[in-house]
Amino acid sequence: MPELIPPTPRLHSSWLAAREEWGGEADMDGAGLGSDDDVDSPEGFAAWVDALHRRADRTLPVEQGRVHATYWWIAEGDTYLGAIDLRHHLNSFLLDAGGHIGYSVRPSARGRGLAGRALESVLHEARVMGMDRVLLTCDPGNTASVRTIERGGGVLEDVRETLIGPKRRYWIDLWPASPRARRAS
């Protein structure tokens, strides 16, 4: 059964296999991967995983251009299926183009509802952190993300040109609980 777990060096080989599925230049949204991160060697990968954990600690400074964020991996046993992150606040870039939450699912694991279940869990975490609403963005042609965000309660604010291309921008109000949480109660 897939679950959200903290990033772990244990999944190094599976993570590398997932990256190969995406292709070398593809964005792995929600993974927190920077262009200068060494993820190929076990030592570099472990250092990167440690950096992901430190980014969630609000008592520590974050790298230039980043905000505090919590990262989770979608995993099934020893298989990395994807990632999702919750950015604790927005800087100007995230407000324009990136949002509070980013996620991606490896190509071979798509179509199983993993992104929707991960989003539902992270919306809960955002509520626990005291957030009132969150911003999510996606490319206009990404119909799977559009469906995931809208099913999660996303309301389209606009479609705009950003520094990284056109983006659909959605807000999800966290209070009261999301539509799924209301249906479950």
Side-chain angles (χ1 to χ4, degrees):
M1 183 72 162
E3 60 183 331
L4 289 186
I5 64 168
T8 174
R10 177 177 61 84
L11 297 184
H12 184 217
S13 61
S14 182
W15 188 94
L16 289 173
R19 183 182 66 176
E20 287 301 313
E21 285 184 29
W22 265 291
E25 299 301 314
D27 285 333
M28 296 170 65
D29 293 330
L33 184 63
S35 60
D36 58 346
D37 288 319
D38 167 25
V39 293
D40 293 317
S41 73
E43 299 79 18
F45 190 80
W48 173 63
V49 166
D50 186 56
L52 294 179
H53 292 286
R54 286 193 317 272
R55 288 182 192 150
D57 186 342
R58 293 183 191 196
T59 66
L60 299 174
V62 292
E63 300 98 336
Q64 179 69 26
R66 291 202 178 265
V67 299
H68 287 98
T70 304
Y71 297 87
W72 295 270
W73 288 355
I74 307 165
E76 191 166 34
D78 287 335
T79 304
Y80 173 91
L81 302 174
I84 189 165
D85 73 330
L86 173 61
R87 296 143 194 159
H88 300 182
H89 67 272
L90 300 176
N91 59 22
S92 60
F93 170 76
L94 293 173
L95 179 60
D96 185 50
H100 285 98
I101 298 172
Y103 59 85
S104 58
V105 174
R106 75 188 288 174
S108 64
R110 292 179 183 160
R112 296 173 47 189
L114 297 172
R117 288 194 298 277
L119 177 59
E120 187 174 352
S121 293
V122 171
L123 291 174
H124 171 75
E125 294 297 326
R127 282 185 199 91
V128 169
M129 289 178 65
M131 300 171 97
D132 293 328
R133 66 185 195 146
V134 293
L135 174 67
L136 285 87
T137 70
C138 67
D139 293 341
N142 188 340
T143 56
S145 274
V146 168
R147 278 194 311 274
T148 296
I149 294 168
E150 290 178 352
R151 285 180 183 156
V155 176
L156 182 66
E157 179 181 61
D158 62 15
V159 179
R160 67 172 66 169
E161 191 61 39
T162 72
L163 291 172
I164 56 173
K167 293 291 176 187
R168 294 176 66 92
R169 297 174 68 256
Y170 290 89
W171 288 96
I172 298 177
D173 288 323
L174 299 176
W175 303 103
S178 70
R180 282 188 182 172
R182 285 194 302 269
R183 283 195 303 266
S185 57

